Amino acid sequence: MTRILAAPPAHSHLRPVPGRSGIPGIGHVLEYIRDPLAMMQKHWDRYGEVSCFSAAGRRWISVLGPDACQEVLQNKDRAFANGDGWSALIGPFFHGGLMLLDSEEHLRHRRIMQQAFTRSRLEKTVGAMNPSIAQKLDRWVPSDGFRAYTALKTLTLDLATDIFMGGAEDSTPAEIEVVKKAFIDCVQAATSIVRYPVPGTRWKRGLDGRRVLENFFRHYLPARRSRETDDLFSVLCHIESEAGQRFSDDEIVDHMIFLLMAAHDTSTITISTMMQYLGQHPQWQDRCRAESLALGTAAPSHADLDALGSLDLVMKECLRLVSPVPVLARRAVRDTEVRGYFVPAGTYASVAPHFTHHMAEYWPEPERFDPERFAEHRREDKVHRYAWEPFGGGVHKCLGMHFAGVEVKAIVHQLLLRFEWHVDPGYVAPLDFTSLPFPSDGQPVDLRLRSTDPDRQAV
């Protein structure tokens, strides 16, 4: 065992954090990319809730289990910074996003942005989202081995462009493809081993991608400033907090880059996971479809989506099985403790909801798809306040989680009305954790049009 953190002060009641440093210069990055859950399980088995490791030339602690996660995320003594933690991974690419801010700056930005995610605005968003989803699904060509993740990634980014931006009115399809690639490059740069702008590296591609995105949003900013519409870009240009605070141009660009990444990447993996498990469990696909058909519309309202109870159970179970954000990053800004272990200032913390979601202590048969876990008669997610935390916790809990739920259910609702699909029961998605998790094979499903026209069924 090699400890890489400082020992506790003399006469301290705190324990030193155990752990191992990993491969010199690389640490545990490759081990994480290969199988993060196996890496976390190894740390849990050897060291317990808190252990140390190295990654990207930095000292980290692994924070595992709901008690330890709760302690760091609630951050009652304000010893952990959110922005400092994430900046080590994605700061050069997503700086200024709400997730990378702290203290009074975070509070100011959050108070303004809350005005963009009120229920009344979400209701308008659903109204605009439905025809856009339908238009994009019209382009799908069902087949055996249809690459669902690949198609969904295009759909959700196009949808984000429509709903968040109000469209990209003078951009060509080729330019939009460049923007899509820029988002991917920025996200994948987070786990770069070489973290310098060396040509050909993920880090350099991420930096180049950030410049592409900045230029893209700045091009449209004057038009969005000049007239308020319902799209998020325009809303961010015009909303203000109750105290009258507003975003600057630079802040709007920073938030749009981060929000579009977050809105389409996390939703894509969640819908893709739902398609996989609904394809492997036809009884659940039939159950969800029956509820969607019972709505009598292909263009549901916000309240209609709330009524899709089975789909909600499936979504929550898929968020448990494949956490779109497997770990949350923090950094200790002063000496502190976690679960009785001494954590010196400057230490980075990897808080792992993904591991908690697979702990048999809280989730019986954790690898089994079982949406009833979240049903009122069971509510396994209530056995611990932090047993299920796909949107994080504390003051940095995801502000857009309700939007995410609306988007996911609106898309899957239309999928259920239009299509039937099958996935081999033995299929295991080959998840790539180079950035946020995604199936490296594009998520093949055998997709078929439903025999009855969905428009006729939905009236």
Side-chain angles (χ1 to χ4, degrees):
M1 179 174 65
T2 304
R3 292 194 183 98
I4 57 174
L5 298 186
H11 310 300
S12 171
H13 68 284
L14 300 176
R15 294 166 286 171
V17 177
R20 55 200 178 102
S21 58
I23 301 172
I26 297 177
H28 293 74
V29 171
L30 297 179
E31 187 179 0
Y32 174 86
I33 291 173
R34 187 162 52 245
D35 190 340
L37 197 58
M39 172 186 162
M40 294 169 193
Q41 187 66 55
K42 185 186 300 183
H43 277 252
W44 175 267
D45 293 341
R46 288 185 181 181
Y47 311 117
E49 295 175 290
V50 183
S51 58
C52 56
F53 66 100
S54 65
R58 293 176 170 86
R59 304 172 301 164
W60 292 77
I61 56 170
S62 176
V63 181
L64 302 175
D67 292 321
C69 288
Q70 180 174 5
E71 199 167 304
V72 175
L73 294 179
Q74 286 190 338
N75 196 22
K76 291 182 178 179
D77 62 354
R78 299 187 179 182
F80 286 99
N82 194 65
D84 282 0
W86 283 113
S87 291
L89 301 174
I90 60 173
F93 321 109
F94 297 106
H95 57 79
L98 193 63
M99 195 173 73
L100 284 80
L101 303 177
D102 281 294
S103 304
E104 291 304 315
E105 185 180 27
H106 170 259
L107 186 59
R108 179 178 74 85
H109 282 248
R110 193 176 181 96
R111 282 174 174 165
I112 301 172
M113 194 167 291
Q114 280 174 339
Q115 308 306 314
F117 289 98
T118 61
R119 184 173 180 95
S120 62
R121 289 194 185 275
L122 284 180
E123 288 170 351
K124 290 181 180 178
T125 297
V126 173
M129 193 182 294
N130 288 320
S132 185
I133 294 170
Q135 182 187 52
K136 288 158 184 50
L137 289 179
D138 285 342
R139 304 171 192 160
W140 283 25
V141 180
S143 65
D144 288 345
F146 180 83
R147 294 306 192 257
Y149 176 82
T150 305
L152 286 167
K153 190 164 182 64
T154 296
L155 186 155
T156 56
L157 186 53
D158 287 347
L159 189 63
T161 303
D162 288 350
I163 303 305
F164 276 24
M165 283 194 59
E169 50 270 21
D170 59 358
S171 291
T172 67
E175 288 169 336
I176 293 299
E177 287 303 313
V178 172
V179 172
K180 292 178 184 178
K181 182 178 183 301
F183 274 114
I184 294 169
D185 288 342
C186 286
V187 173
Q188 292 193 343
T191 53
S192 297
I193 294 173
V194 177
R195 305 179 79 80
Y196 298 95
V198 178
T201 62
R202 289 206 308 270
W203 193 260
K204 178 64 163 59
R205 289 194 293 271
L207 294 174
D208 292 343
R210 169 72 194 202
R211 284 191 288 272
V212 168
L213 296 175
E214 286 186 358
N215 292 335
F216 179 75
F217 287 111
R218 288 190 189 282
H219 172 74
Y220 290 101
L221 184 62
R224 299 306 185 272
R225 280 287 198 197
S226 66
R227 184 171 66 92
E228 183 173 5
T229 53
D230 288 335
D231 60 273
L232 183 66
F233 198 175
S234 179
V235 169
L236 292 182
C237 288
H238 296 274
I239 56 172
E240 57 183 44
S241 69
E242 293 179 357
Q245 298 168 313
R246 302 181 70 176
F247 289 134
S248 69
D249 286 358
D250 287 346
E251 289 169 343
I252 290 169
V253 170
D254 288 341
H255 284 307
M256 285 300 298
I257 291 173
F258 176 76
L259 287 170
L260 254 75
M261 178 277 295
H264 89 273
D265 248 351
T266 54
S267 295
T268 302
I269 185 58
T270 300
I271 301 168
S272 174
T273 305
M274 291 172 72
M275 287 195 72
Q276 175 194 330
Y277 283 102
L278 288 175
Q280 292 176 316
H281 299 270
Q283 71 279 19
W284 274 98
Q285 187 176 152
D286 292 343
R287 176 172 162 176
C288 290
R289 182 177 291 108
E291 291 184 3
S292 284
L293 288 169
L295 288 184
T297 179
S301 66
H302 192 294
D304 289 332
L305 294 175
D306 283 344
L308 298 176
S310 295
L311 195 58
D312 193 63
L313 297 180
V314 170
M315 180 179 68
K316 288 176 178 176
E317 175 70 337
C318 288
L319 285 167
R320 182 190 71 83
L321 286 163
V322 181
S323 305
V325 183
V327 298
L328 306 169
R330 300 289 188 270
R331 190 186 188 209
V333 294
R334 61 174 179 273
D335 290 353
T336 187
E337 64 176 289
V338 177
R339 304 295 292 167
Y341 290 96
F342 174 67
V343 179
T347 303
Y348 290 85
S350 169
V351 184
H354 185 56
F355 181 78
T356 301
H357 294 170
H358 290 264
M359 294 179 71
E361 296 93 321
Y362 302 96
W363 307 95
E365 297 183 79
E367 304 311 312
R368 183 166 65 91
F369 174 72
D370 182 8
E372 290 284 349
R373 299 176 193 276
F374 294 89
E376 286 303 322
H377 66 283
R378 287 174 61 182
R379 292 309 302 263
E380 291 176 14
D381 58 311
K382 294 297 185 182
V383 297
H384 190 291
R385 187 175 179 181
Y386 277 71
W388 187 74
E389 47 182 332
F391 299 103
V395 298
H396 286 281
K397 192 167 186 176
C398 178
L399 186 61
M401 62 182 181
H402 296 299
F403 170 85
V406 163
E407 179 187 27
V408 167
K409 288 199 281 189
I411 292 172
V412 180
H413 170 73
Q414 292 206 37
L415 288 173
L416 289 164
L417 294 181
R418 287 171 175 258
F419 305 108
E420 295 173 347
W421 62 92
H422 171 76
V423 176
D424 189 295
Y427 171 81
V428 177
L431 293 177
D432 186 320
F433 286 90
T434 302
S435 55
L436 300 181
F438 69 94
S440 59
D441 61 356
Q443 175 75 79
V445 305
D446 294 338
L447 189 71
R448 294 282 182 272
L449 281 172
R450 293 189 62 238
S451 56
T452 304
D453 180 75
D455 293 330
R456 289 203 300 270
Q457 290 211 18
V459 295

